[in-house]
Structure formats: C-alpha cells, structure tokens
DNA sequence: CCGTGATGTCGGGATTTCAAGACAGGCGGG
DNA sequence: CCCGCCTGTCTTGAAATCCCGACATCACGG
C-alpha cells in the first residue's frame, strides 16, 4: 500500500529538543489555520510566549524532562489525533 | 504474529495529563531498575522533584503545553526507544 | 502609499518553580 | 528487633518563567 496524500499530514514528530517541539507546534497550528494570536487566546496563554515556543525557546523544566526521558531511553512523539 | 512477551514492555503511553506523564516515567524508571535517587542524579535533578513528577505534579508550564496540544488535536506518546 | 494582519522582540514585575536538606514511614532481610 | 534503602513531604530562598503591553518589521491588497 502506498502513502496516500492525506497521510502526509499525519507524519509523527519525534521530540527530543525544545526546537523540535517548536517546529511541531508551528506545523500543527498552521495546519489548523490559526494565527498565533488565535491559538494563544484559545489555549489561554500569551502570544509572545507562543511565539517563543515555536522558535524553540528552551525552558529549564522542558530541558529537565527531556533529559529525564533521554536517560530512560524513552522517545516522545507528537502526532495528529485522528477522530 | 502474536504479541511476544517482550512486547509488553513496549506498549506506548498516551500522555494527556501530568498524571499520565508521571505514571509513564515511573514505569520506565522501574523498568530500568533505577531508584529515584539514582535516576535523579543521572539526569541532574533533585530527588524530591522526581518524586513529585511521578506523582503527577502539575506545573504551570506543563499545563500550558498540554493545553496547547489538546487545542491543536495533537496526541503525545512516550515509548521505549529501541536501538 | 496607506492600512491591516501576522510575527519577532523587549523590559518590568508578579508569580511559579526547583534545589537543598531534613524528617518520617514503610518494607524487607538478617 | 535493627538496619538500610526507598519514597513521600515540608520549608526556605534563590532563580527562572510568563504575562502584559509595547514597538518594529514584513507582506499583502486596495
């Protein structure tokens, strides 16, 4: 079976750094056709924070958790929930 | 092909709350045969923090990011990296 | 050329978070 | 009955974080 066109949008993102998380978030936001302002308001956070997130801003906590998972040999992935 | 015994340890965890993250982390830590103290030291964080994490402690940032993903219809999963 | 929307970026300050270190309880073995 | 180990929990203080509200830039259309 070949990859169907709609499958392209379902490719999972592997998250191992803050940068990859930002890339994924931006991807999904655009796919949803939302601006940063819209999504930020819907999710109840400030637009400047979302902007920084998408650019891969690394916060301490994120670093800590990713480090933890790395030490445990665990992989984190994001993918579109299909329903 | 049937599920082999070793596959049981590879069942992915679906993360949608801080609680499920804690459960997953604890699972993987035990699987690695580490105590909280050992893992905390390896990963460079305090044991009391790891303890709280495993119990599902919700920090603001975690809440924010999980909320964001929920609004985007994105699912987060953790699974053992096989290599 | 002007207006509009989207995004990057900055500073200030209130809030949150985490490390540190201590204490207590549980559990199992010797 | 003691130990040693593991884990949960608390307090404190220092540090990181994020909201807020600007301002700047860029692209686009009218």
């Amino acid at each position: 079976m070949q990859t169907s066109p709609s499958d392209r949008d379902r490719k999972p993102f592997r998250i191992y750094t803050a940068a990859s998380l930002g890339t994924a978030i931006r991807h999904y936001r655009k796919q949803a056709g939302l601006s940063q302002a819209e999504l930020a308001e819907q999710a109840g956070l400030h637009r400047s924070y979302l902007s920084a997130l998408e650019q891969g801003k690394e916060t301490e906590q994120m670093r800590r958790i990713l480090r933890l998972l790395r030490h445990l040999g665990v992989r984190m992935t994001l993918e579109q929930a299909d329903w």
Side-chain angles (χ1 to χ4, degrees), chain A:
Chain A
M1 178 103 91
Q2 297 303 327
T3 299
S4 83
S6 65
D7 282 343
R8 269 199 293 276
D9 295 336
R10 296 181 179 282
K11 181 168 74 76
F13 281 81
R14 173 150 335 170
I15 308 301
Y16 46 101
T17 63
S20 46
L21 176 64
T23 301
I25 289 179
R26 172 158 296 178
H27 171 87
Y28 290 120
R29 174 176 64 79
K30 299 219 141 160
Q31 189 174 282
L34 297 171
S35 68
Q36 288 182 353
E38 290 168 334
L39 177 57
E41 199 206 355
Q42 284 182 27
L45 39 86
H46 202 265
R47 192 189 62 78
S48 68
Y49 172 60
L50 177 55
S51 173
L53 255 195
E54 292 191 351
Q55 285 171 86
K57 171 195 170 85
E58 276 215 338
T59 64
E60 278 306 313
Q61 175 169 110
M62 200 180 309
R63 232 191 305 272
R64 269 185 278 260
I65 292 189
L66 292 173
R67 208 161 55 214
L68 202 46
L69 297 179
R70 207 160 28 241
H71 274 272
L72 288 173
V74 174
R75 157 178 46 190
M76 175 184 293
T77 63
L78 294 185
E79 61 189 325
Q80 197 171 33
D82 39 332
W83 42 4

